[in-house]
Amino acid sequence: MSKANLKLQVVFEFEIDAPDALLQHDHVSLCRKLGETLGPLVLQGMPKVTSTQLAKVGATLIGHHCHLDAKNLSRPLIDRAAMIAAAPHLTNKELDDLAHQLAGKTPEDPAQLQRLLRRNALALVNEYRLVPCQIEGALNSGGTFTDITVDATLNLTNGSVMVDEAHRQSHLRQGSGVVTLVAADGAVRITGNCEGHTLSGPVINVSVADIAKSRDALIQLWQAGN
């Protein structure tokens, strides 16, 4: 079998006036219903016609992939800022998926909306999403404090910070707002807390809300490393 040496993508976007019965489906069932409706005539017809036309220039269709998606425009959009505030660890595509999933199902109360978004975002993606950073704080040496910068890693999913192994014995000044997290070549600076020390090192965290304020730079940093 020949090996493909060219990739062709042809995209159509259809705007549809759909009946209410079709609009009642959630995103998953809507896509399934539309796929069943289009059926082999459309989903298999396009590759067949394409193969025939390509043969005219001596090209052979080796394989194909079909991706079907749909957006229910009749349902109110979820405020993007609210979604990022609740789930700054999600990529743009995952935020879109979350919006599709919850379209038409969100409460009006802002606090309830944030809880719903956060809960469903973690159900969607709950893995550690780590980015390199540095922690600026004060080293506690018998009651004497000396400025120190330590290498660390920030988990975008929950705001926890893990210092590198070389600094796990460092005892930093404890308290709220006593450390500063620096990332993305200084483009991100977030005030954080040091809540104590364990065998794994200083217990440091920053708030999800503060991560959300620098979300674009942090997500780009994470995507660059993955």
Short mmCIF file of all heavy atoms in Angstrom, two decimals, residues 6 21 55 60 100 117-118 123 126 140 148 151 153 164 168 170 178-179 188 206 214:
data_model
loop_
_atom_site.label_atom_id
_atom_site.label_comp_id
_atom_site.label_asym_id
_atom_site.label_seq_id
_atom_site.Cartn_x
_atom_site.Cartn_y
_atom_site.Cartn_z
N LEU A 6 0.88 13.69 1.10
CA LEU A 6 0.17 14.97 1.04
C LEU A 6 -1.07 14.86 1.91
O LEU A 6 -1.73 13.82 1.92
CB LEU A 6 -0.20 15.30 -0.42
CG LEU A 6 -0.86 16.64 -0.72
CD1 LEU A 6 -0.51 17.11 -2.13
CD2 LEU A 6 -2.39 16.58 -0.58
N ALA A 21 -37.35 20.40 18.12
CA ALA A 21 -37.06 19.03 18.59
C ALA A 21 -35.57 18.71 18.48
O ALA A 21 -35.01 18.01 19.33
CB ALA A 21 -37.88 18.03 17.77
N ALA A 55 -8.08 11.07 -8.92
CA ALA A 55 -7.53 10.12 -9.89
C ALA A 55 -7.26 10.78 -11.23
O ALA A 55 -6.39 10.33 -11.98
CB ALA A 55 -8.49 8.94 -10.06
N THR A 60 -3.88 9.23 -5.55
CA THR A 60 -4.66 8.14 -4.96
C THR A 60 -5.03 8.49 -3.52
O THR A 60 -4.16 8.85 -2.72
CB THR A 60 -3.87 6.82 -4.97
OG1 THR A 60 -3.50 6.51 -6.32
CG2 THR A 60 -4.70 5.69 -4.39
N HIS A 100 -20.11 23.90 25.46
CA HIS A 100 -21.09 23.05 24.77
C HIS A 100 -21.81 22.16 25.78
O HIS A 100 -23.03 21.98 25.73
CB HIS A 100 -20.40 22.18 23.72
CG HIS A 100 -19.95 22.92 22.51
ND1 HIS A 100 -20.70 23.92 21.91
CD2 HIS A 100 -18.81 22.82 21.77
CE1 HIS A 100 -20.06 24.39 20.86
NE2 HIS A 100 -18.90 23.74 20.76
N LEU A 117 -19.19 25.52 37.07
CA LEU A 117 -18.13 25.52 36.08
C LEU A 117 -16.89 24.80 36.61
O LEU A 117 -16.27 24.00 35.91
CB LEU A 117 -17.78 26.95 35.68
CG LEU A 117 -18.83 27.71 34.87
CD1 LEU A 117 -18.41 29.17 34.71
CD2 LEU A 117 -19.05 27.07 33.51
N ARG A 118 -16.54 25.09 37.86
CA ARG A 118 -15.34 24.48 38.45
C ARG A 118 -15.50 22.96 38.56
O ARG A 118 -14.59 22.20 38.20
CB ARG A 118 -15.10 25.07 39.84
CG ARG A 118 -13.86 24.55 40.56
CD ARG A 118 -12.60 24.98 39.89
NE ARG A 118 -11.40 24.48 40.56
CZ ARG A 118 -10.19 24.50 40.03
NH1 ARG A 118 -10.00 25.00 38.82
NH2 ARG A 118 -9.15 24.04 40.70
N ALA A 123 -14.06 17.68 36.24
CA ALA A 123 -14.50 16.39 35.71
C ALA A 123 -13.98 16.18 34.29
O ALA A 123 -13.68 15.05 33.87
CB ALA A 123 -16.03 16.31 35.74
N ASN A 126 -8.64 16.78 35.08
CA ASN A 126 -8.21 16.83 36.48
C ASN A 126 -6.74 16.44 36.63
O ASN A 126 -6.26 16.21 37.73
CB ASN A 126 -9.08 15.93 37.35
CG ASN A 126 -8.92 16.25 38.83
OD1 ASN A 126 -8.59 17.37 39.20
ND2 ASN A 126 -9.15 15.27 39.67
N ASN A 140 14.19 31.61 56.25
CA ASN A 140 14.19 31.75 57.70
C ASN A 140 15.39 31.00 58.28
O ASN A 140 15.44 29.78 58.27
CB ASN A 140 12.89 31.19 58.28
CG ASN A 140 12.76 31.46 59.77
OD1 ASN A 140 13.71 31.86 60.43
ND2 ASN A 140 11.57 31.23 60.31
N ILE A 148 15.48 35.11 49.09
CA ILE A 148 15.91 33.93 48.36
C ILE A 148 14.96 33.69 47.18
O ILE A 148 13.78 34.04 47.23
CB ILE A 148 15.93 32.67 49.27
CG1 ILE A 148 16.55 31.48 48.55
CG2 ILE A 148 14.53 32.34 49.76
CD1 ILE A 148 16.73 30.24 49.42
N ASP A 151 13.81 27.61 42.48
CA ASP A 151 13.13 27.06 41.30
C ASP A 151 11.98 26.16 41.77
O ASP A 151 12.10 25.45 42.77
CB ASP A 151 14.11 26.25 40.46
CG ASP A 151 15.19 27.12 39.84
OD1 ASP A 151 14.89 28.27 39.49
OD2 ASP A 151 16.34 26.64 39.71
N THR A 153 7.73 24.46 40.50
CA THR A 153 6.76 24.10 39.46
C THR A 153 5.36 24.42 39.95
O THR A 153 5.01 24.07 41.08
CB THR A 153 6.85 22.59 39.13
OG1 THR A 153 8.19 22.27 38.77
CG2 THR A 153 5.94 22.26 37.97
N ASP A 164 11.82 22.67 43.69
CA ASP A 164 12.77 21.66 43.22
C ASP A 164 13.43 20.97 44.41
O ASP A 164 13.53 21.53 45.50
CB ASP A 164 13.83 22.31 42.34
CG ASP A 164 13.28 22.66 40.95
OD1 ASP A 164 12.06 22.49 40.74
OD2 ASP A 164 14.06 23.12 40.10
N ARG A 168 14.16 21.65 49.00
CA ARG A 168 13.12 21.09 49.86
C ARG A 168 13.42 21.25 51.35
O ARG A 168 12.53 21.14 52.18
CB ARG A 168 12.88 19.62 49.50
CG ARG A 168 12.16 19.48 48.17
CD ARG A 168 11.90 18.05 47.78
NE ARG A 168 11.25 17.99 46.46
CZ ARG A 168 11.03 16.87 45.80
NH1 ARG A 168 11.40 15.70 46.32
NH2 ARG A 168 10.43 16.90 44.61
N SER A 170 14.72 24.03 52.48
CA SER A 170 14.68 25.47 52.75
C SER A 170 13.43 25.82 53.53
O SER A 170 12.32 25.45 53.14
CB SER A 170 14.70 26.26 51.44
OG SER A 170 15.88 26.00 50.70
N VAL A 178 3.37 36.09 51.43
CA VAL A 178 4.78 36.31 51.75
C VAL A 178 5.72 35.83 50.64
O VAL A 178 6.93 36.02 50.74
CB VAL A 178 5.16 35.62 53.08
CG1 VAL A 178 4.38 36.22 54.24
CG2 VAL A 178 4.92 34.12 53.00
N VAL A 179 5.17 35.18 49.62
CA VAL A 179 6.00 34.74 48.50
C VAL A 179 5.42 35.28 47.19
O VAL A 179 4.23 35.62 47.11
CB VAL A 179 6.10 33.20 48.43
CG1 VAL A 179 6.76 32.64 49.67
CG2 VAL A 179 4.73 32.58 48.22
N VAL A 188 4.58 36.88 34.25
CA VAL A 188 3.60 36.49 35.27
C VAL A 188 4.22 36.66 36.64
O VAL A 188 5.29 36.11 36.92
CB VAL A 188 3.15 35.03 35.08
CG1 VAL A 188 2.24 34.60 36.22
CG2 VAL A 188 2.46 34.85 33.74
N VAL A 206 -0.93 29.29 45.31
CA VAL A 206 -1.52 30.53 44.82
C VAL A 206 -2.97 30.25 44.49
O VAL A 206 -3.36 29.11 44.27
CB VAL A 206 -0.77 31.07 43.58
CG1 VAL A 206 0.67 31.42 43.92
CG2 VAL A 206 -0.82 30.06 42.44
N SER A 214 -3.64 35.55 34.86
CA SER A 214 -2.49 35.38 33.97
C SER A 214 -2.66 34.12 33.12
O SER A 214 -1.68 33.56 32.62
CB SER A 214 -1.19 35.29 34.79
OG SER A 214 -1.00 36.44 35.56
#
